[in-house]
Structures are given as C-alpha cells and as structure tokens.
Amino acid sequence: MLKATKVRLYPTPEQELALAKSFGCARWYWNFALNACIQHYQETGKSLKLASYKGMLPQLKKEYPWLKENCYSSVLQCVAINLDRAYKNFFEGRAKFPNFKSKHHKQSIQYPQSVTVNGEYLKVPKIGEIKAIFHREVTGKIKTVTISKTSTDKYFASILCEVEGTDVKQSGDNIIGIDLGLKDFAITHNGENATKYANPKHLYRHQKNLARKQKKLSRKTKGSKSREKFRKIVAKVHEKITNSRQDFLHKLSRKLVNESQVIVVENLNVKGMVKNRKLSKAISDVGWGKFVNFIDYKLKQSNGELVEIDRFFPSSKTCSSCGHVLDGLSLDIREWDCPNCHTHHDRDENAALNIRNEGIRILTEGGGNLVFADGGCVRPPACKSKGHWSVNSEAYTALVGSV
Ligand SMILES: [Zn+2]
C-alpha cells in the first residue's frame, strides 16, 4: 500500500542553486523529448518509443555536458518515463496532449530511489542534505520522492512509500480519491477499500419540512400578520438547513483529512453543471464546491495536499483494472462489466479508484495540473528562440537514422 508524506524543505542558497539547475535540466530534457516526439510524428506518422528518447540521453550528455554535471541521471530517466506515460494517457483518452514546460510555473523533479531521510534532513543525490520539517515519521520503503518549488519560492518534497498494509487504519497517511455522487454524497477509495457516505437523512427531512411550510406561506394573504409570522418560520427552516449542511460538510471533510495526507478530487465545473436543470437541484443542495474548499483549507493546515484532476478525465467510464475506456455510460447505470477484462464494477467505487490513481500519477509526475493545463494545443516552448535546444542535434539525427 502506498503512503504519502509531504514535507517543507529549507535548502541553503547553494542547494537552491543546485535545485534550480536540476529543475532546468529536467525541463530542458522534457521539452527536447516532447519536441522530438512531435517532429518524429510529423515526419513519419509514427509515435516515438520510450526507448528511443531514453536512448538519446548518453549522446545528449556528450553534446551538452551541463546535463550530466547538473542533474542526477535517474531524474532524467524519470522525465522520459513520465513523458511516455503522458503520451499513453493522451492516446488512450485519459488526458490532454502533454504540454511543454515553462520555467515560470511550478518546478519539479522526481527521484525514483536514492533519496534517504537522515534525522531532520532529506539526503538528495547531487544536492546534498536539505533541511526538512517532518510532521510525521516516514516509514516503509521510499518509492519516489518529488521535489517541487512553488511559484512563491517555497520548496516541498512529496515522499511516496510502500508500507505493509497493517498500520494503515490508525494513521493519516492515506491517499484517497473522492468521487462526488448524487445518490451518495461522496465515495472514497484508498486503493484497497471504497467507502460510501450517504447524504444525511435529516437534511432530506428538513427539506420536506421546508417545502411544506413554503406552500403554506404561499397561501397566506399578502400583508397579513400570519404571513409575516410564517415568513419568519420559513427563514428559520432555511437557516437550519444551511447549518446542518455546513455541519455535515465540516465533519466529513475533517474525517477525511484526518485519515489522509493526499486527497484527490475532480475539478468539477459546478456552475456549468447547475445549468443542467434536471440535476441542478441535487447538485446545488449537496454543496460540492463548498466541500472541496473545506477539504482544501483543512489539508493546508495539516500540511497535506489536495490534487485536483481534470474534468476531461473519464473517471466513470474507465476500467480501473485494465484501463479500457467505454464509449459511454449513462447516468442510470450503477454497475457494469468491463468488456475487455470482465471485471465487475460498481460505478462510483470504480470512479473513486480511477480518481485516486490519476492523482497519484499527477503527484509522481510532479508537474501537477500544469502537465496538462489548458492542453489540447501545443505551444512552442519559451526557450526555443534562445537556441537552448533543438532537435537538430546529433542525438536526434542518429536516432532518426537508426529508425
Ligand atoms: Zn477492464
């Protein structure tokens, strides 16, 4: 089972410089390889294989010695793997086309191994021992460490560990995906189990009460004393509903945040959905937007992380077992069988698990939403004009010649 710990890092000025160089190399190689993929496709109509652009690395390091000097080799390997995954996700309809990375956004690099925790320090190859604040002990085997720098110049490390499944319950290190439902309020998945949280029944009761009282109110003569009295009664019921909904959202978000270090949600366009009349009442009532806000600020207090995934991601109609994407899945279908691997799925549980997996993918790629932010079109990278990189390098020529 995977657990995540997010820690704030306090690098020295020298370490900041070393990190900046590593970020730069990873970004450069991502953009180089992405451009090579695009050019190769334009020239041959075929997509470039992972082994091809991974294979360019030794030659690139010869051509650009700073690549070798400034960046730990595994970091670049991770870039290649992440680009390959981004491409696959695009072709299989799970994500938008990968974007070029800019130095003006959040920066990140990923280490598949070799990072160790040493007391209050995180020991990172080529960077050194960086001072870190650990709010909880890092247990288990470190799988990946993603070091990022925010646009406000704060440094963080997301440490993903593999742990035995036993000590999960009492600790709050889970990574959970949440699918916000209509039948149930929310469905969570922690990678092993799904949990459904129903809409509170008393809310429904209050709602019926409100409808009854509003009807009575409408029958009262305008300007009459009893109408004024009833107006106040209705306002009170309204207040009660607002309070108990707020209370429910606070309690549930608190529970989930206590259990988790990372929470993955879909970035829903609630306004857009409310336009759909049929669903509008249920959606405005359950208060999704508010719920995500509550989770967000509570996670910030506990140093956790909210990962919002793209609405584009087809969480409901993707099979969480084999990745097969259905053509469509109407709202009334609550359970389905995958035509590819025959796994039986509960609609909402499958969606919550997919949301979690997608969150982990984004987390381990480090780029967060930026990887696919406003994707769909390919922008020329900012650094291209400065001649920092070009696919007309020897590595690329050698590669194309060999294909
Ligand atoms: Zn399947």
Side-chain angles (χ1 to χ4, degrees):
M1 171 141 209
L2 280 177
K3 279 207 224 176
T5 312
K6 188 183 177 189
V7 297
R8 175 100 186 253
L9 299 177
Y10 297 91
T12 63
E14 291 79 27
Q15 289 170 342
E16 281 188 14
L17 189 65
L19 281 169
K21 285 178 177 174
S22 294
F23 290 141
C25 290
R27 198 174 59 233
W28 181 90
Y29 176 54
W30 170 280
N31 288 342
F32 176 90
L34 177 56
N35 200 50
C37 288
I38 293 167
Q39 283 208 5
H40 183 74
Y41 185 78
Q42 282 168 350
E43 282 159 20
T44 66
K46 286 177 194 156
S47 52
L48 201 52
K49 295 238 155 47
L50 166 65
S52 305
Y53 45 89
K54 223 173 169 182
M56 292 177 198
L57 274 170
Q59 179 63 32
L60 282 174
K61 283 179 187 166
K62 266 186 216 158
E63 268 181 72
Y64 309 102
W66 45 264
L67 206 54
K68 192 177 172 164
E69 283 159 27
N70 294 336
C71 194
Y72 187 59
S73 166
S74 306
V75 169
L76 297 174
Q77 304 271 346
C78 278
V79 171
I81 292 164
N82 290 339
L83 179 62
D84 182 56
R85 231 185 289 165
Y87 247 87
K88 279 197 180 125
N89 284 324
F90 166 68
F91 280 117
E92 287 164 17
R94 286 192 294 273
K96 291 178 181 172
F97 194 82
N99 266 346
F100 287 102
K101 300 204 180 197
S102 153
K103 70 171 177 185
H104 303 295
H105 293 137
K106 182 185 167 186
Q107 303 294 313
S108 69
I109 42 173
Q110 192 193 338
Y111 295 81
Q113 71 254 317
S114 334
V115 173
T116 47
V117 174
N118 188 0
E120 292 182 330
Y121 291 86
L122 197 65
K123 197 174 171 195
V124 185
K126 288 241 186 198
I127 310 291
E129 295 198 335
I130 309 175
K131 178 100 179 80
I133 302 281
F134 293 93
H135 290 278
R136 58 187 79 214
E137 204 189 340
V138 177
T139 53
K141 186 171 175 279
I142 294 180
K143 284 202 77 178
T144 60
V145 174
T146 305
I147 297 182
S148 57
K149 181 191 171 197
T150 66
S151 44
T152 52
D153 293 342
K154 284 182 187 138
Y155 293 82
F156 294 95
S158 290
I159 307 168
L160 277 185
C161 292
E162 182 81 54
V163 290
E164 303 295 329
T166 48
D167 62 334
V168 172
K169 264 180 204 123
Q170 75 272 19
S171 79
D173 298 359
N174 284 347
I175 303 170
I176 63 165
I178 310 179
D179 186 34
L180 296 165
L182 287 174
K183 191 171 155 282
D184 293 294
F185 174 72
I187 301 91
T188 66
H189 210 298
N190 65 5
E192 292 197 336
N193 306 304
T195 313
K196 294 188 172 181
Y197 297 94
N199 277 304
K201 286 220 175 69
H202 60 273
L203 255 182
Y204 180 70
R205 227 169 34 230
H206 283 320
Q207 212 111 42
K208 271 177 115 177
N209 184 17
L210 178 67
R212 208 168 50 233
K213 296 226 160 93
Q214 265 170 336
K215 209 171 178 186
K216 272 190 185 168
L217 174 65
S218 69
R219 287 199 198 111
K220 304 280 174 193
T221 334
K222 270 184 190 161
S224 71
K225 258 194 176 169
S226 69
R227 185 183 171 96
E228 182 55 24
K229 196 180 134 201
F230 241 86
R231 205 191 48 76
K232 275 184 189 157
I233 291 174
V234 169
K236 260 193 184 154
V237 180
H238 260 299
E239 197 182 72
K240 217 172 199 172
I241 290 176
T242 309
N243 287 346
S244 65
R245 184 190 295 146
Q246 194 100 343
D247 186 55
F248 166 70
L249 296 178
H250 268 303
K251 277 184 182 147
L252 182 56
S253 58
R254 171 49 61 205
K255 179 182 187 305
L256 296 177
V257 167
N258 284 349
E259 287 169 3
S260 327
Q261 179 74 357
V262 175
I263 293 181
V264 191
V265 295
E266 277 183 305
N267 175 8
L268 294 165
N269 180 356
V270 174
K271 266 188 193 154
M273 289 183 80
V274 171
K275 277 186 194 149
N276 177 343
R277 275 231 188 123
K278 209 171 159 192
L279 294 177
S280 67
K281 190 165 188 325
I283 291 169
S284 349
D285 283 352
V286 291
W288 282 348
K290 202 173 250 179
F291 183 57
V292 171
N293 281 344
F294 284 176
I295 289 177
D296 188 26
Y297 87 77
K298 286 184 174 118
L299 277 172
K300 280 197 180 114
Q301 287 168 353
S302 65
N303 236 16
E305 193 158 357
L306 178 76
V307 179
E308 285 188 273
I309 67 169
D310 211 306
R311 263 179 301 137
F312 185 81
F313 178 75
S315 57
S316 294
K317 54 181 190 172
T318 302
C319 169
S320 55
S321 302
C322 73
H324 178 80
V325 183
L326 299 177
D327 289 335
L329 187 67
S330 65
L331 269 176
D332 54 323
I333 297 177
R334 310 308 312 168
E335 290 178 35
W336 56 282
D337 290 304
C338 173
N340 186 48
C341 72
H342 309 294
T343 307
H344 183 72
H345 291 299
D346 172 286
R347 179 200 184 96
D348 296 330
E349 291 180 8
N350 176 62
L353 181 55
N354 278 327
I355 289 168
R356 177 182 187 268
N357 291 341
E358 176 66 3
I360 292 174
R361 185 186 69 77
I362 286 172
L363 206 63
T364 53
E365 274 172 23
N369 297 330
L370 291 167
V371 182
F372 305 113
D374 302 322
C377 64
V378 181
R379 282 181 287 106
C383 53
K384 198 178 179 184
S385 56
K386 291 179 200 152
H388 283 324
W389 62 278
S390 147
V391 275
N392 295 323
S393 77
E394 287 168 40
Y396 183 68
T397 317
L399 163 96
V400 172
S402 71
V403 176

